[in-house]
Amino acid sequence: MADSKGNAFDFGLFKKLLSYTRPYKGRMYFVGLSAVLISVFAVLRPIYIEYAMDLGMQPKNMDTLLYYIGLSLLVLLGESIFQLLFIYFANWLGQQVVLDIRTKLFNHMIYFKKQYYDKSAVGRLVTRAVNDIETISSIFSQGLFMIISDLLKMLVIAGVMLYKSWQLSLIVFVILPFILYATRVFQRKMKVAFEEVRTQVANLNSFVQERVTGMKIVQIFSRERIEREKFNEINQKHMRAWNKTVWYNSIFFPIAEMVTSITIGLLVWYGGLRAVENDVITIGLVTAFIQFSQMLFTPLRQIADKFNTLQMGMVAANRVFGILDTDARIKDEGTRELDQIKGDISFQDVRFSYLEGEEVLRGINLEVAAGQTVAIVGSTGAGKSTIINLLSRFYEIDSGHILIDGTDIQDVKIASLRSEIAVVLQDVFLFADSILNNITLNNPDISEEDVVNAAKAIGVDKFISSLPEGYHYNVKERGAMLSSGQRQLIAFLRAYVSNPSILVLDEATSSVDSNSEQLIQKAINKITKGRTSIVIAHRLATIKKADKIIVMEKGQIVEMGNHKSLLEKEDGYYRKLYEVQFAANSESV
């Protein structure tokens, strides 16, 4: 991991990043060749200008003057062409690396266990997958190759300067350590500053994403002023982080400019005196050295700026690789496929805890026969939803066994397991897409005709057909264009067309109106027929016909039976729940 304490560079992280360029070695080599040629062309220009002045202008030799001016133009043209190719392919490589990393990151994240997302802010993850990865591209387009090109150019220039005149070179080289020291300090300060910038960008994105998503709650509870103040506070921190980078830039670049001007003044003073004395130093050579010094110092100043870009990219890469290096997958070590299962489910002494030492399920033993409808009831936090999360292996159990048709689900491939289980949640999530695509989830094996027939079978075709574009109606983000009841109907249809062997309904009728509930109840009766169904219900009236009712309390099963037998228990949990709910319903009438 990169060090945020101010260390200028993390070579381990850089090596890992460079590994993504291996498939594009040819382009990299061409970029390197372009950098070499640019350096050669850059050095030739001042030399030809020196010759034009000393061999053409002073002796007033027009042919020689025109000759070297022509060579200067050709060199300038060559430098421009390779500069263009250099910039294009460096940017191309950066975008290709970004494409590969972003694809790998997304493919990595979609297999993360649910527990990872429970603990991670959505806005922060979006920042990693979008902003941070885009910043990585600048390492190649504006950082790494530009720095290499500039360093190569400076090395060639320094060698030519020494060859031409060690006295004039000494003037430049005496000044050089001051700029190098200032650049080094600048780089270290900017590393820390950019780390803070990325942190504040992530905080800002996370805050805005959550507030926009939950804007309804903000407005319902009149939290606009408080949220505005919180946003201003976060925004201020973001601004202060950026201002640090501005402050360091405002100090460094004027100092570098002043040092460059002093160097030029010393070259003119010393070189001019020696030229007047008819020494080996000529006016053309002094002019060339002025250009050499600018060509030496300008890249050095730019390297500092480009190093900022490189540092921001490295900070972003550190964060992205932090996710890529995270092992948050459910272990998919099963080898068996579930094929034509009956639907027998068995929980054997299952224990589970979200946090170590705080058990949510305490030795659950449960048998569900194929084709049965089993309802699970209990107070909030009793562990009802946890059971279905474990059945689909969204979390790993601490101990015990969960079996389907006698096969431990640990021995089954996760994709195979989940293909046999359909879940309808209370809070239905719909994508900003058509109803058809939200039902099929772009599964090519499910045709529009299949969807229409399924909708007719469970009684929701009339509702869908009444929408402006029917099955192609775009429901917008999170299904905002539909009511909660309509979203539930879409979720039932989505579960039905997947033709699962096991169906799970998690509070699927708890927040819908009575009209929608009638349609949903009809849909439930249709899709549960002939398949194993687990129903988690808040409204006890909806589970009277269940073959078995499981009553849970504090992570344990406290009662089990059908509706009638459980009501016969005088001090039973189920009876108390039913009486409280029945009394509440009577009062509301």
Side-chain angles (χ1 to χ4, degrees):
M1 294 294 177
D3 184 2
S4 60
K5 303 294 184 183
N7 291 341
F9 206 73
D10 186 333
F11 286 98
L13 179 65
F14 186 63
K15 185 178 179 181
K16 184 186 293 188
L17 187 62
L18 277 184
S19 67
Y20 286 87
T21 65
R22 287 172 188 162
Y24 316 107
K25 285 184 178 179
R27 304 290 178 102
M28 274 197 71
Y29 293 152
F30 182 80
V31 170
L33 176 63
S34 298
V36 172
L37 292 174
I38 289 169
S39 302
V40 173
F41 288 141
V43 171
L44 287 175
R45 279 193 294 113
I47 293 175
Y48 288 152
I49 290 173
E50 174 196 348
Y51 292 162
M53 293 182 68
D54 291 342
L55 303 178
M57 292 178 65
Q58 286 189 351
K60 297 184 179 180
N61 187 328
M62 184 62 68
D63 291 338
T64 303
L65 178 64
L66 293 175
Y67 174 73
Y68 283 112
I69 289 175
L71 285 178
S72 297
L73 290 175
L74 285 175
V75 167
L76 181 61
L77 179 62
E79 184 179 3
S80 300
I81 290 172
F82 279 97
Q83 190 79 37
L84 182 151
L85 295 172
F86 175 84
I87 293 172
Y88 174 78
F89 284 110
N91 278 273
W92 180 92
L93 185 63
Q95 289 303 317
Q96 195 63 49
V97 168
V98 161
L99 173 67
D100 294 344
I101 295 178
R102 183 178 280 131
T103 300
K104 184 176 181 180
L105 179 66
F106 185 77
N107 290 343
H108 189 61
M109 289 171 61
I110 59 177
Y111 290 105
F112 277 171
K113 63 181 75 173
K114 194 169 180 292
Q115 200 161 11
Y116 178 86
Y117 292 104
D118 292 341
K119 298 176 180 179
S120 302
V122 175
R124 200 173 292 272
L125 292 176
V126 171
T127 300
R128 301 291 176 266
V130 181
N131 301 59
D132 284 342
I133 288 187
E134 198 59 45
T135 304
I136 291 175
S137 70
S138 63
I139 291 178
F140 299 95
S141 61
Q142 302 171 39
L144 171 65
F145 293 121
M146 293 291 186
I147 291 174
I148 291 174
S149 176
D150 287 342
L151 287 173
L152 185 59
K153 187 186 296 184
M154 291 166 61
L155 186 63
V156 173
I157 289 170
V160 172
M161 288 171 66
L162 283 170
Y163 174 76
K164 286 285 186 180
S165 171
W166 69 267
Q167 297 100 325
L168 294 178
S169 298
L170 187 62
I171 293 174
V172 177
F173 294 160
V174 165
I175 302 295
L176 197 58
F178 294 100
I179 291 186
L180 287 173
Y181 176 74
T183 302
R184 177 66 176 171
V185 172
F186 179 65
Q187 290 168 354
R188 294 177 65 88
K189 294 291 185 182
M190 291 299 283
K191 170 69 190 298
V192 177
F194 279 132
E195 179 77 30
E196 177 64 17
V197 166
R198 299 311 304 167
T199 299
Q200 294 306 326
V201 167
N203 290 340
L204 193 61
N205 284 351
S206 181
F207 182 89
V208 172
Q209 191 273 336
E210 287 181 350
R211 269 54 185 186
V212 170
T213 303
M215 189 59 70
K216 186 175 181 180
I217 299 299
V218 172
Q219 294 178 350
I220 286 174
F221 291 94
S222 300
R223 296 273 299 181
E224 292 90 343
R225 182 182 60 80
I226 295 173
E227 296 301 332
R228 187 172 65 246
E229 290 173 355
K230 284 185 177 180
F231 177 77
N232 287 340
E233 182 181 341
I234 293 174
N235 213 11
Q236 286 287 336
K237 289 180 179 178
H238 177 256
M239 182 194 69
R240 285 195 291 270
W242 267 112
N243 279 347
K244 280 185 181 179
T245 68
V246 173
W247 171 245
Y248 294 143
N249 276 295
S250 64
I251 293 175
F252 173 76
F253 288 103
I255 290 175
E257 191 66 39
M258 181 179 67
V259 172
T260 302
S261 299
I262 291 172
T263 304
I264 293 172
L266 290 173
L267 286 172
V268 172
W269 168 72
Y270 179 79
L273 288 178
R274 298 294 299 273
V276 169
E277 294 173 358
N278 294 318
D279 203 81
V280 292
I281 295 178
T282 64
I283 296 298
L285 185 61
V286 173
T287 304
F289 260 79
I290 290 174
Q291 287 187 296
F292 281 143
S293 67
Q294 290 179 317
M295 291 168 66
L296 192 65
F297 289 165
T298 300
L300 192 59
R301 294 202 306 269
Q302 290 175 348
I303 282 176
D305 192 34
K306 289 163 188 171
F307 200 87
N308 295 345
T309 302
L310 184 61
Q311 290 288 35
M312 284 194 72
M314 292 294 286
V315 169
N318 180 43
R319 295 174 184 271
V320 170
F321 285 131
I323 298 178
L324 284 172
D325 293 340
T326 299
D327 183 15
R329 291 188 176 199
I330 294 287
K331 292 181 180 178
D332 192 6
E333 299 174 347
T335 56
R336 303 188 60 175
E337 298 271 359
L338 291 178
D339 186 28
Q340 296 180 343
I341 67 172
K342 294 185 296 181
D344 290 318
I345 300 172
S346 176
F347 279 68
Q348 300 177 357
D349 194 27
V350 173
R351 295 181 177 274
F352 172 75
S353 53
Y354 292 102
L355 299 175
E356 190 175 349
E358 298 180 18
E359 279 194 336
V360 177
L361 296 185
R362 305 174 183 180
I364 295 295
N365 290 287
L366 173 63
E367 300 291 333
V368 181
Q372 273 191 333
T373 296
V374 174
I376 304 177
V377 300
S379 57
T380 301
K384 305 185 298 294
S385 295
T386 301
I387 284 181
I388 64 170
N389 282 330
L390 296 180
L391 181 63
S392 298
R393 286 198 70 192
F394 291 125
Y395 300 88
E396 293 282 32
I397 60 176
D398 296 339
S399 63
H401 299 278
I402 302 175
L403 290 78
I404 294 180
D405 284 2
T407 301
D408 195 315
I409 62 173
Q410 300 278 352
D411 300 328
V412 178
K413 294 179 180 179
I414 290 178
S416 176
L417 171 68
R418 292 176 182 170
S419 68
E420 296 293 336
I421 303 172
V423 181
V424 180
L425 301 171
Q426 175 185 1
D427 183 19
V428 177
F429 186 92
L430 298 180
F431 296 95
D433 205 337
S434 68
I435 286 179
L436 178 65
N437 288 340
N438 269 290
I439 293 169
T440 66
L441 297 176
N442 297 303
N443 185 343
D445 296 328
I446 304 175
S447 66
E448 183 172 352
E449 184 181 358
D450 294 334
V451 173
V452 173
N453 290 336
K456 290 177 179 178
I458 66 173
V460 300
D461 174 67
K462 186 177 179 181
F463 136 64
I464 297 175
S465 299
S466 67
L467 296 171
E469 296 173 69
Y471 288 84
H472 297 278
Y473 179 66
N474 193 311
V475 299
K476 304 301 180 184
E477 188 175 1
R478 300 184 69 88
M481 303 304 290
L482 302 177
S483 68
S484 59
Q486 290 172 330
R487 290 196 293 271
Q488 284 287 5
L489 290 170
I490 298 299
F492 276 106
L493 185 53
R494 180 161 62 193
Y496 186 59
V497 297
S498 68
N499 193 28
S501 300
I502 298 171
L503 179 69
V504 177
L505 307 179
D506 187 0
E507 302 278 12
T509 63
S510 63
S511 60
V512 298
D513 57 79
S514 57
N515 183 51
S516 295
E517 186 176 354
Q518 291 177 0
L519 286 173
I520 288 172
Q521 197 59 52
K522 180 182 176 181
I524 290 175
N525 294 335
K526 178 66 179 178
I527 67 177
T528 57
K529 188 176 181 180
R531 58 169 53 93
T532 305
S533 303
I534 299 176
V535 181
I536 296 175
H538 175 69
R539 299 182 185 181
L540 302 186
T542 63
I543 59 169
K544 289 181 180 180
K545 296 180 182 179
D547 298 307
K548 185 188 295 183
I549 298 174
I550 310 296
V551 185
M552 295 190 66
E553 185 66 28
K554 295 181 179 178
Q556 295 179 310
I557 296 176
V558 292
E559 287 181 355
M560 188 182 304
N562 59 32
H563 176 71
K564 184 178 179 181
S565 65
L566 290 175
L567 283 182
E568 290 174 353
K569 296 183 178 181
E570 290 189 11
D571 294 323
Y573 282 86
Y574 182 80
R575 180 169 176 171
K576 290 177 182 178
L577 286 171
Y578 188 81
E579 288 174 349
V580 169
Q581 197 169 109
F582 181 78
N585 290 337
S586 299
E587 291 175 4
S588 63
V589 172

